[in-house]
Amino acid sequence: MTTETHTPGSPALTRTGRAARAGRGAPPQPPRRRFAGDGIWPWLFLAPLVGGISVFYFWPILQTAFYSLTDWGAFGGWDFAGFENYVALFADPALYLSFGNTLLYTGIVMLGIPIAVFLASLLNLPGLRFASLYRVLFFLPYVAMPTAVAMVWRIIFNGDFGLLNYGLGFLGIDGPYWISTPGAATVAVAIVGLWSSLGFAMIVLAAGLKSIPPEMYEASELDGATRWRQFRSITVPLLTPSIFFISIVTIISSFQVFDLLYAILGSSNPVLPKSMSLVYFFYREGFVNNDKGYAAAIAMVIFVIIGIVTAIQFRLQKRWVQVD
Amino acid sequence: MTEAVASVRVPPAARSSAPTPRRRTRHRGGSHVFAHIILGGGGLLMAFPFVWQIIMSLSTNAEVQSVTPVFWPAERQWQNYAAVFTRLPFLEQLTTSVVITVIRTVAQILFCTLAGYAFARMRFRGRGILLALVLSILMVPSQVYLLSQYQIVQNLGLLNTLGGLVLPGLFSAFGTFLMRTAFLAMPTELEEAARLDGANPFQIFWKVMLPLAGPTISVLAITTVLWSWNELLWPLVVTTFSDRMPLSAGLATLIGDRTTDYPVVMAASLLAMAPVLIMFIVLQRRVIDGLASSGLK
C-alpha cells in the first residue's frame, strides 16, 4: 500500500488499466477495491470497545440470566436452583405491588404527552418571540440532576410545611402527607417525573411539527377550517410518528424509574415497601437484602417487559409511521 | 442554486414585506398572546422549583420549616453555601464527579469513534454480526448487567474506588451507534484522496475523518457528561463511604437524616447541579438538538 504513495496519480491509472484488462465476466465495479479496513486494522479499531463491552455488558447479561437460576447464601456462595426464583417471584405480592406502582407512575407521566403536544404546537407558531427562552425553561428539569431536584420536591411535598399543601389549602383541600402515604407517594414521584420529562417530549414533538408542510395549513384555511379543526385533522395525524416515538421512550424510561423515587422518598422511608417501583424492588433484593439470584430474576422480568414494549413498538410502527 | 431561482421568481417588493399573507399574520398575532400566556406561565412553573430552591438555600432552617411559607428570607444566609464545604464531604464528592465524568467522556469519544468508524467504513469478516451484537445491548435495561458488573468490580477489588465508579461507563453501545451513523453519512472522496497520499487507516481516521465528525462528537460528549454527572444507581451500588461517592449519590444519602439542615441541603443540591446547568444554558441549542436527535437520556 505504501509503495503506491510516491507517485501520486499513477495508482489511479494503474487501477483503471487493471480494471479494463480484467473486464471479462467478473463484476467490474466493487470487487477488489481496497478498503482502509482490510486486514488487522478494523480489529485494532474495535478492540477497546468490543473488549470493554464484552466484559462489562455481554458477559454480565449472560451471567445475570444464569444468576436468576441460582440461590445465593448469606456469605456469597450459590447453588443451582432451577426456576425456584421465578416460582417464588411470581408468588411474591411485592412483584405485583411494584409492577402496579410502576404502571401507575408510567400512566401519570404519560399524561404529559398530550400536554406536550399542545405546548409544542404553541412553541412552533411561526414568528413566536422568546421561543428559545421557553425551550430552555421547559428543558431545564430534564438536564438537572435527579437527586438534586428531588431535594426541593421533598420539601414542596412535605405534609406540614410543604408549598403544595399550603397552595391546596387555599382551595379548601387538606393535602395528604404525600411522601409518607403509600398511594400519594407514587403520585408525588410521578408528578416530578412528568415535570422532568415534559421538556424532552415537547422538543421531540416540536421537531416533528416542523416537518409538516405549511401549505397544508394554508390550504385548509382557505377551506375555512378552524384552528381546532386544523389541530385535529392535520397536526395530530401528521404528528403520530413523533407521538408514538415519544410514548415508547417515555414508557421504557418510566418502567426503569429509580432515581427520583429513591431520592424523593428516601431509602429509610417506611412507606417504601408499599410505594417501590420494579427497579427499586430489584435494587432492594440485590443490594440491600443481598439475594442476587432473586434480584437477577427480577431483572429478567423487567427485561422481558421492556422487550414486549419494544416488540409492540416495531409492530405498530409499520401502521403508524407515514412514509412520505 | 434554489435560492437563486427563488429570487428570480419572487418580486423584490413581496420579499421585503412579511413572508406570510397579511390575513394570517393578524390571525397569528392574536393567538400569540395566548401562546405567551400558556408558555410563559408553564415555563415559570417549570423553573419554579429551582427558584424555590435558591430561596430556601438562603433561608434559615426555621424559615424553611415555617408552616406559612417564607418567600423572602429576612436575611440572606450566605453561610449556608460555606457550610456545604465544611459540613459535608462536598469537595471530595465534587472532585469524584468531575474526575469520573471527564474520564468517561474522553474514553467514550475515543472508543466509540474508533469502533463507529470501523463499523461504518471498514470491511472485515463478521462485521454484521458484531454490529448487531453491540447494538442489541441498547435494548437491555441496565438492571440486567448491574449485578454482574458489581460482581466484577468487587472481584477486582475496586469497590469504593474511582476505578470501580468509572469502569463500565467507559464503553457505550449507544455512542458507537451514534458515531457509526455519523461516519456513514460522510463522503468517501476525502478518505480515498488520503489513501492515495499514502496515509494508513489510523492516520486517515485521526487526521481526516475525526475532525469532520466534530458535531456528532459534541453530541456524544454532552450526553456522556449529562448521564455520568446525574447517574445514581451505579455509584450507589459501588460506593459505601460518603466521601468516596460522586455528588449524585452523596446527595441522595443526605436525606432521611433526622437532623437535616434543609438550607444547607438546598445549597448543596444547587451547587451539585450548577456545572451541568451552566453547560446547558451556554450550549442550549446544541444540547437540546443533540438530545432530541439522539432520543436518549
Side-chain angles (χ1 to χ4, degrees):
Chain A
M1 218 182 233
T2 23
T3 48
E4 293 177 347
T5 61
H6 305 294
T7 49
S10 73
L13 287 175
T14 326
R15 196 173 289 168
T16 27
R18 220 187 281 148
R21 259 176 280 134
R24 292 161 219 153
Q29 244 292 299
R32 291 287 302 160
R33 198 149 154 259
R34 270 193 212 149
F35 263 68
D38 284 344
I40 190 81
W41 282 103
W43 300 105
L44 293 177
F45 275 51
L46 288 168
L49 183 99
V50 171
I53 290 235
S54 306
V55 172
F56 288 103
Y57 294 87
F58 279 143
W59 173 244
I61 291 168
L62 299 176
Q63 210 173 18
T64 302
F66 177 72
Y67 279 170
S68 75
L69 304 174
T70 60
D71 193 15
W72 287 64
F75 299 102
W78 55 270
D79 312 305
F80 189 72
F83 287 96
E84 230 171 64
N85 287 318
Y86 290 97
V87 173
L89 182 60
F90 285 107
D92 189 343
L95 176 71
Y96 303 99
L97 191 78
S98 58
F99 183 68
N101 287 333
T102 307
L103 273 183
L104 175 62
Y105 174 89
T106 306
I108 293 174
V109 174
M110 295 282 284
L111 291 178
I113 293 176
I115 300 172
V117 171
F118 176 63
L119 292 171
S121 67
L122 292 181
L123 195 65
N124 255 45
L125 288 172
L128 182 83
R129 301 188 70 192
F130 310 123
S132 65
L133 173 68
Y134 295 140
R135 268 160 47 114
V136 170
L137 286 177
F138 279 92
F139 213 73
L140 211 54
Y142 186 77
V143 291
M145 183 189 281
T147 49
V149 292
M151 297 301 140
V152 69
W153 281 103
R154 275 174 69 81
I155 300 184
I156 291 174
F157 285 122
N158 187 288
D160 294 319
F161 55 86
L163 213 51
L164 183 62
N165 282 355
Y166 178 73
L168 288 175
F170 283 111
L171 304 171
I173 301 169
D174 198 10
Y177 279 80
W178 292 93
I179 292 169
S180 47
T181 314
T186 311
V187 174
V189 177
I191 288 172
V192 184
L194 200 164
W195 170 78
S196 75
S197 62
L198 190 68
F200 179 68
M202 255 175 89
I203 299 308
V204 170
L205 292 165
L209 282 169
K210 279 223 174 67
S211 64
I212 299 177
E215 296 82 43
M216 302 203 72
Y217 291 102
E218 279 155 27
S220 72
E221 198 161 296
L222 291 178
D223 291 341
T226 61
R227 287 244 138 186
W228 173 241
R229 177 78 208 188
Q230 284 181 336
F231 182 74
R232 257 184 44 213
S233 306
I234 302 172
T235 310
V236 172
L238 289 182
L239 202 57
T240 45
S242 307
I243 295 175
F244 196 68
F245 169 76
I246 200 69
S247 316
I248 294 302
V249 172
T250 307
I251 292 174
I252 291 180
S253 60
S254 295
F255 258 99
Q256 297 185 70
V257 61
F258 174 80
D259 305 25
L260 285 176
L261 188 111
Y262 183 90
I264 292 175
L265 300 189
S267 53
S268 54
N269 193 323
V271 92
L272 212 43
K274 287 246 187 290
S275 308
M276 64 184 174
S277 65
L278 276 172
V279 175
Y280 191 90
F281 180 37
F282 159 82
Y283 169 79
R284 188 185 78 176
E285 295 307 320
F287 297 100
V288 181
N289 296 346
N290 237 335
D291 191 345
K292 304 273 191 254
Y294 204 56
I298 301 169
M300 296 313 283
V301 168
I302 297 171
F303 185 21
V304 169
I305 292 171
I306 288 176
I308 292 170
V309 172
T310 313
I312 293 172
Q313 173 198 18
F314 279 111
R315 267 286 164 80
L316 290 181
Q317 216 172 29
K318 286 176 196 142
R319 227 183 285 168
W320 281 60
V321 173
Q322 310 205 1
V323 185
D324 35 34
Chain B
M1 209 159 61
T2 35
E3 277 164 32
V5 173
S7 65
V8 170
R9 276 193 196 152
V10 181
R15 275 167 66 210
S16 62
S17 75
T20 44
R22 204 162 287 150
R23 195 175 61 82
R24 274 179 65 82
T25 316
R26 183 165 43 82
H27 191 54
R28 279 186 194 131
S31 59
H32 277 192
V33 175
F34 173 71
H36 282 299
I37 292 170
I38 300 283
L39 290 170
L44 288 178
L45 209 61
M46 298 301 275
F48 178 74
F50 299 101
V51 176
W52 190 227
Q53 205 160 14
I54 294 172
I55 292 171
M56 286 195 290
S57 75
L58 296 172
S59 307
T60 62
N61 210 3
E63 280 170 325
V64 169
Q65 298 184 61
S66 149
V67 176
T68 317
V70 179
F71 288 95
W72 197 250
E75 239 174 282
R76 258 57 70 220
Q77 309 289 326
W78 293 105
Q79 74 276 14
N80 290 334
Y81 283 86
V84 169
F85 291 91
T86 52
R87 303 231 313 261
L88 306 174
F90 190 83
L91 212 55
E92 288 89 337
Q93 294 177 353
L94 178 70
T95 313
T96 305
S97 279
V98 170
V99 171
I100 63 177
T101 300
V102 169
I103 295 177
R104 279 168 162 179
T105 307
V106 172
Q108 281 204 18
I109 289 174
L110 192 64
F111 298 161
C112 295
T113 50
L114 277 169
Y117 181 74
F119 279 129
R121 288 301 175 86
M122 291 179 168
R123 268 194 189 166
F124 53 93
R125 266 177 179 280
R127 179 173 72 172
I129 296 169
L130 198 55
L131 180 65
L133 278 172
V134 170
L135 295 188
S136 68
I137 290 172
L138 292 176
M139 283 190 262
V140 181
S142 63
Q143 299 82 43
V144 174
Y145 29 79
L146 200 76
L147 283 164
S148 175
Q149 286 177 343
Y150 173 82
Q151 215 71 16
I152 293 169
V153 166
Q154 189 182 35
N155 290 342
L156 293 172
L158 293 175
L159 292 182
N160 278 307
T161 67
L162 272 175
L165 278 167
V166 95
L167 256 178
L170 298 177
F171 315 98
S172 162
F174 163 71
T176 307
F177 172 70
L178 192 72
M179 293 318 303
R180 175 180 168 266
T181 315
F183 286 120
L184 276 179
M186 286 181 191
T188 52
E189 286 79 13
L190 282 164
E191 269 174 303
E192 273 157 14
R195 202 170 307 136
L196 292 179
D197 285 345
N200 71 35
F202 185 75
Q203 289 170 321
I204 296 174
F205 164 77
W206 192 253
K207 295 201 174 123
V208 181
M209 298 310 275
L210 204 58
L212 290 177
T216 314
I217 291 175
S218 72
V219 171
L220 176 62
I222 287 165
T223 48
T224 310
V225 168
L226 272 179
W227 159 78
S228 177
W229 194 264
N230 294 341
E231 161 189 60
L232 174 67
L233 192 47
W234 178 250
L236 208 56
V237 159
V238 291
T239 51
T240 39
F241 308 123
S242 63
D243 58 343
R244 301 289 177 87
M245 292 174 178
L247 287 169
S248 52
L251 280 175
T253 53
L254 276 184
I255 50 154
D257 189 353
R258 287 260 162 236
T259 57
T260 306
D261 191 342
Y262 290 110
V264 177
V265 174
M266 291 301 114
S269 313
L270 281 164
L271 290 175
M273 280 191 284
V276 158
L277 291 188
I278 290 168
M279 176 189 90
F280 166 64
I281 289 165
V282 172
L283 302 171
Q284 40 118 343
R285 203 159 188 102
R286 186 152 262 185
V287 176
I288 292 177
D289 292 347
L291 285 175
S293 62
S294 71
L296 237 109
K297 188 156 184 169

